Amino acid sequence: MKRPTQRRLGVSDDSTSQRPTLKVCLDFVLEQTDSLVDKALDGLTAAVERSHDMLASEEQQVAVQAAIADLLANREALRERFMTQLHALVLGGGTQAEMERPLVKFEDIQLLEEAQLDESIEVARAQEEVAMAVDDVLPALDALISTLMGWVTVQGSLNPLRPDTFVRCLREIIASVVQNPQVRGALIVPAAGLMGVELRQLYRETVNWLRSSGIEPAGVTAPVISTDALGAALPGSNSVTRTLVTLDRLRKLLSGDMDGGLGGKKSPQDFLYTVPASVETLQDMQQVEAMVKRLSVRARQSGAEPGEAAKPRRPPMNSRQLGEAVGEEVARMMLESLIQDDRLLPPVRELLVSLEAQLIKLAETDVRFFSDRLHPARQFLDRVINRSMGFTSVQDEGFAKYLRSVQQAVQALNAHADQGVAAFAAVLQKLMDHWSKEDKAQRLLNEETARALMHAEQRNLLAQRLSQDFRKRCEGKNVPPLLVDFLAGPWPQVVAQAQLSGTDSSGDPQGYEGLVKQLIWSVQPDRASHNPARLVELIPSLLARLREGLQLIAYPNERITVLFDHLIAMHEAALDGVRSTPAATNELNQINTDQSNPEAGEPPDEMWLAEHEAAESGYLNEAAVMPVDIMGGRPVDGEEAALPGQGLRVDELGKDAWIELLLDGVWVRAQLTWVSPHRSLFMFTSRAGSAHSMSRRTIERLISQGVIRMVSDGHVVDKALDSVAQTALRNTLGKPDPDAQIL
């Protein structure tokens, strides 16, 4: 392995040396990745030989050895592919959604195909191996990388160098050569273990280098509810019940396929209505049953070694008891995931804990809570949690009022616990009505702002088409470049505004499009020289109509003045061109080549809004948000601009998502409240009611510089259930449960 870190350590205490940025750190780690692949491939033969007893037959052993030979023969190509994929993920080619994509999503459990299940299991096994290797050094790396990313608390899930990224790339290169899933499964675990050892050393060196270079680790947010308190709040959750949740049992839970129904209250047929509509057509479960059978075989293969002492078995549960236990544990695990989410403020977490009894009861009687996103209880949790994301502190304006409304809702739920889902539906409706009244003024303002932005988008889309047409009209003609920019920039906005505002059916209601031909003719000396009298007569009316049109879109007066000064100079040069004097020719050439004045062209952002439109909608362009040092191309605080490391893309921003935007050095939290039909304009609203609208191009630029970061995509409960599915996957990989025979 390369050791450039150790060479740097000798000078890292030099106060004159530059502190490493995130990009420098990522580049350093990526330089070492070729050795990770080499070590994993080189050690495969010995690793597989040590575990040959895990293979079912001699035929499998031969197949595994052949696969290793193929991998070694393709070493160079595999190394290159691994590095290419890793670079793409680490440096932002992969989106945040791709990097955080769970191996198994809760809502997809019933739809798993064999190939998808194989991939999930293989990656999960590999992740376990790597996690065991790097477990002691990863927290320190997460804390330091979080600092480089600009976070004040540890954000391990956003670390672009987290082990999962390496594991996915390793699995991809092995799968590209080894097609047989059984052979591939026999190779992925030892390969991951070998890579994990090297990755641990690389992590350790990176941590030492960053620490010695003066990088301070981000702080760890103290748990709002201690582990002991959490255990007391969720007394039914322990190491025994936690292992009850497996992929197969989740599938049976969601489909109501537990014999006798959950709690013995319903038959399996009674639960058919709980399955989402997209799944109801999947009556033939032979594929899933085959998958379950294959999992059982794998579980037996990974069972106790010969001669191992038999462990005491707890009394087996019948189907009814198991159904109740699995439902309860899924609800507890989901709730625990929500409580441990440090984006939620302490009082909100405490309210979630107080809902435990209600949620457990629902888990016993109504599986729709797990399978239907529109279930009233799911909607209640979603709305309460998503609204809380707007607050960063209990001292924030409006938080006390929000908390009081949720406390009253929870009290009502607990008072009507016997009504089950009906209580959630009634309380949710009352809570939403209350918030709707609170938000009425803000909602009306947002709707008015959205209408103005919608008009601006329509005008800009039409102006883009007109711009192309006007630019083509100038081709092959002696038109000064400055005028070409004007005809491709502000003037199409004027024509578009007139067409959108016109009440008649005319394509050019105010004749502004017709002025284009006259304007082009007026600035060409070789044409104007044939009719100087017409040019002299045309200039006053032409300038008057141009001023009138520019005022229609509230074009700034100072820009109009600068533009007209240039136009008058062009016309004078055109008239002088009739006499063909050297001075006139030089003046015209100077006008034609002077492109340095930005006031003569279109605004720096591609989306044009009038000054009053921008003020009313809180419109921000890059220059209004981007730090001056970045806009000027200079490093921030003496460093080069760091990569955000989040991989967020505009297309991943959905309505109701919460983001943080850096404005004047302060992070402002705002919610995406409106997106234009063509997704070219976005409007965010802060909890204080301020609107911040931006074009797509501006958002992309701000994301790339880390000036915008995601807080929540609005699917917190879905993510909590996905974490349950991940636990089920890990349990599926473990040893068989003593009660498995009853299934």
Side-chain angles (χ1 to χ4, degrees):
M1 178 183 290
K2 302 173 186 177
R3 304 288 190 227
T5 329
Q6 295 179 350
R7 290 197 296 271
R8 298 185 193 186
L9 291 179
V11 297
S12 61
D13 293 331
D14 183 358
S15 60
T16 63
S17 62
Q18 288 189 340
R19 287 157 51 95
T21 63
L22 178 62
K23 185 177 185 304
V24 170
C25 179
L26 298 183
D27 287 342
F28 158 70
V29 173
L30 290 173
E31 288 175 1
Q32 322 300 313
T33 55
D34 55 346
S35 63
L36 297 179
V37 178
D38 287 334
K39 292 290 185 180
L41 294 179
D42 289 339
L44 266 182
T45 300
V48 171
E49 286 178 352
R50 287 196 299 270
S51 58
H52 70 278
D53 55 321
M54 297 295 293
L55 302 176
S57 64
E58 183 177 346
E59 182 180 354
Q60 268 196 351
Q61 296 179 27
V62 173
V64 168
Q65 295 299 334
I68 294 176
D70 288 341
L71 290 171
L72 294 176
N74 292 278
R75 176 195 298 269
E76 296 295 331
L78 294 178
R79 184 196 300 125
E80 185 65 27
R81 182 169 182 170
F82 180 90
M83 295 176 65
T84 299
Q85 292 179 348
L86 191 63
H87 275 69
L89 287 176
V90 170
L91 295 180
T95 66
Q96 182 171 347
E98 290 171 342
M99 296 176 71
E100 297 183 353
R101 174 174 57 90
L103 296 177
V104 179
K105 291 182 67 65
F106 189 88
E107 63 181 356
D108 294 338
I109 286 177
Q110 295 185 82
L111 305 176
L112 285 175
E113 296 180 359
E114 289 194 13
Q116 294 171 316
L117 184 63
D118 284 334
E119 177 181 357
S120 297
I121 290 177
E122 289 167 8
V123 175
R125 290 185 185 279
Q127 286 179 350
E128 283 186 341
E129 288 294 313
V130 175
M132 287 189 294
V134 304
D135 186 59
D136 61 330
V137 295
L138 183 59
L141 180 68
D142 284 340
L144 293 167
I145 295 295
S146 295
T147 296
L148 294 180
M149 293 170 62
W151 296 95
V152 294
T153 58
V154 178
Q155 303 291 330
S157 63
L158 296 180
N159 182 0
L161 298 175
R162 62 186 181 277
D164 295 0
T165 307
F166 293 84
V167 170
R168 289 183 186 275
C169 294
L170 178 66
R171 193 267 173 188
E172 287 298 320
I173 65 170
I174 292 179
S176 67
V177 175
V178 184
Q179 305 300 323
N180 187 312
Q182 291 183 326
V183 175
R184 190 169 60 239
L187 293 175
I188 187 68
V189 173
L194 292 164
M195 188 180 72
V197 173
E198 293 298 308
L199 192 59
R200 178 180 183 274
Q201 180 64 22
L202 179 56
Y203 280 177
R204 182 179 295 278
E205 291 184 357
T206 304
V207 166
N208 291 339
W209 166 46
L210 293 176
R211 282 174 173 169
S212 64
S213 299
I215 303 299
E216 294 290 337
V220 179
T221 303
V224 178
I225 302 178
S226 68
T227 303
D228 294 338
L230 183 61
L234 306 175
S237 184
N238 54 57
S239 60
V240 174
T241 59
R242 183 61 56 91
T243 59
L244 290 174
V245 183
T246 62
L247 290 180
D248 180 43
R249 289 172 181 170
L250 277 184
R251 179 187 65 80
K252 291 177 181 291
L253 176 69
L254 292 174
S255 62
D257 201 22
M258 294 285 189
D259 291 342
L262 287 178
K265 299 180 178 64
K266 297 180 182 292
S267 68
Q269 295 301 319
D270 292 331
F271 279 90
L272 289 179
Y273 75 97
T274 68
V275 184
S278 61
V279 185
E280 290 179 356
T281 58
L282 299 179
Q283 300 300 324
D284 183 4
M285 298 299 292
Q286 292 179 357
Q287 250 188 339
V288 178
E289 295 301 337
M291 171 265 290
V292 174
K293 185 179 295 184
R294 193 171 72 256
L295 285 177
S296 299
V297 172
R298 290 180 179 176
R300 287 195 297 272
Q301 290 177 350
S302 61
E305 297 293 333
E308 182 180 351
K311 297 180 180 179
R313 295 177 55 182
R314 63 181 182 273
M317 292 183 286
N318 59 36
S319 297
R320 179 182 63 81
Q321 292 171 327
L322 184 64
E324 291 178 348
V326 172
E328 285 186 21
E329 190 56 28
V330 170
R332 283 195 174 93
M333 291 164 66
M334 178 206 69
L335 186 58
E336 181 178 338
S337 178
L338 295 175
I339 293 171
Q340 292 178 343
D341 191 330
D342 60 7
R343 293 172 298 179
L344 302 182
L345 295 176
V348 179
R349 301 191 198 189
E350 293 169 2
L351 285 173
L352 293 179
V353 172
S354 68
L355 283 174
E356 177 203 354
Q358 288 279 55
L359 296 177
I360 295 300
K361 186 175 181 179
L362 274 178
E364 295 177 351
T365 59
D366 190 354
V367 189
R368 285 182 304 152
F369 175 76
F370 298 124
S371 61
D372 185 4
R373 284 183 174 179
L374 299 181
H375 188 281
R378 278 276 287 275
Q379 287 286 295
F380 178 83
L381 289 176
D382 276 329
R383 301 296 177 85
V384 168
I385 291 174
N386 198 45
R387 192 174 181 91
S388 76
M389 291 293 176
F391 304 103
T392 59
S393 166
V394 294
Q395 284 80 36
D396 285 356
E397 181 180 356
F399 179 76
K401 186 183 296 185
Y402 156 81
L403 184 63
R404 189 161 50 249
S405 65
V406 178
Q407 287 173 335
Q408 293 172 353
V410 172
Q411 290 171 0
L413 285 173
N414 291 329
H416 299 87
D418 58 324
Q419 298 180 16
V421 66
F424 275 97
V427 170
L428 174 63
Q429 185 60 52
K430 184 176 180 180
L431 186 62
M432 295 308 297
D433 290 343
H434 174 71
W435 285 344
S436 180
K437 291 179 182 178
E438 281 188 358
D439 300 340
K440 183 177 180 180
Q442 184 64 53
R443 186 171 62 254
L444 293 176
L445 180 60
N446 287 347
E447 291 173 355
E448 182 180 347
T449 304
R451 283 192 293 270
L453 289 172
M454 177 85 76
H455 178 81
E457 182 189 52
Q458 293 174 340
R459 184 182 65 234
N460 277 273
L461 290 173
L462 178 56
Q464 288 176 11
R465 294 195 293 270
L466 292 168
S467 176
Q468 295 174 358
D469 177 48
F470 295 167
R471 193 178 290 275
K472 286 182 179 179
R473 295 191 194 184
C474 297
E475 292 178 358
K477 298 181 176 66
N478 188 21
V479 180
L482 186 143
L483 186 62
V484 174
D485 289 342
F486 171 73
L487 290 176
W491 197 247
Q493 296 284 342
V494 173
V495 178
Q497 177 70 19
Q499 292 183 3
L500 292 175
S501 304
T503 57
D504 56 34
S505 58
S506 171
D508 189 18
Q510 299 188 42
Y512 292 136
E513 186 174 0
L515 291 180
V516 174
K517 182 177 180 180
Q518 298 177 5
L519 186 57
I520 291 175
W521 176 85
S522 70
V523 296
Q524 298 180 79
D526 53 341
R527 298 206 173 194
S529 62
H530 297 296
N531 197 345
R534 179 192 171 195
L535 178 59
V536 172
E537 181 182 357
L538 176 65
I539 288 176
S541 62
L542 180 62
L543 294 180
R545 294 301 310 282
L546 290 175
R547 182 180 295 277
E548 175 188 289
L550 291 171
Q551 289 175 342
L552 181 66
I553 63 169
Y555 200 70
N557 286 328
E558 59 273 17
R559 291 192 180 187
I560 294 177
T561 300
V562 173
L563 172 67
F564 277 29
D565 288 344
H566 282 82
L567 277 177
I568 291 171
M570 292 179 194
H571 289 148
E572 290 177 351
L575 289 172
D576 289 342
V578 175
R579 295 186 292 274
S580 300
T581 63
T585 301
N586 291 335
E587 185 178 1
L588 182 60
N589 290 337
Q590 178 62 32
I591 294 173
N592 288 345
T593 57
D594 183 10
Q595 300 299 307
S596 61
N597 190 345
E599 299 294 340
E602 60 180 325
D605 199 340
E606 87 288 356
M607 184 69 68
W608 161 256
L609 274 79
E611 186 173 342
H612 70 278
E613 292 176 323
E616 292 169 0
S617 63
Y619 184 75
L620 302 169
N621 56 32
E622 292 179 32
V625 183
M626 197 75 73
V628 175
D629 287 337
I630 296 179
M631 290 296 296
R634 296 187 300 276
V636 181
D637 296 331
E639 301 178 0
E640 60 182 279
L643 297 176
Q646 297 185 61
L648 176 63
R649 289 183 177 175
V650 178
D651 290 334
E652 296 169 8
L653 285 173
K655 194 171 180 295
D656 294 334
W658 287 94
I659 59 104
E660 285 188 328
L661 171 68
L662 187 61
L663 290 174
D664 299 325
V666 177
W667 287 102
V668 176
R669 186 164 294 190
Q671 187 175 36
L672 182 57
T673 51
W674 178 82
V675 182
S676 68
H678 293 273
R679 294 188 68 85
S680 62
L681 279 172
F682 296 74
M683 182 174 70
F684 301 88
T685 306
S686 68
R687 179 56 65 191
S690 301
H692 307 286
S693 59
M694 287 169 278
S695 70
R696 181 187 184 93
R697 172 179 150 183
T698 295
I699 294 179
E700 290 174 343
R701 175 67 170 159
L702 298 182
I703 288 175
S704 70
Q705 295 293 343
V707 182
I708 286 181
R709 60 193 186 193
M710 177 74 86
V711 174
S712 169
D713 62 1
H715 302 295
V716 179
V717 177
D718 289 345
K719 297 292 178 59
L721 286 172
D722 285 344
S723 71
V724 175
Q726 304 313 301
T727 300
L729 174 59
R730 289 192 293 270
N731 290 341
T732 301
L733 300 178
K735 296 184 178 181
D737 190 276
D739 295 327
Q741 71 275 8
I742 69 173
L743 295 178

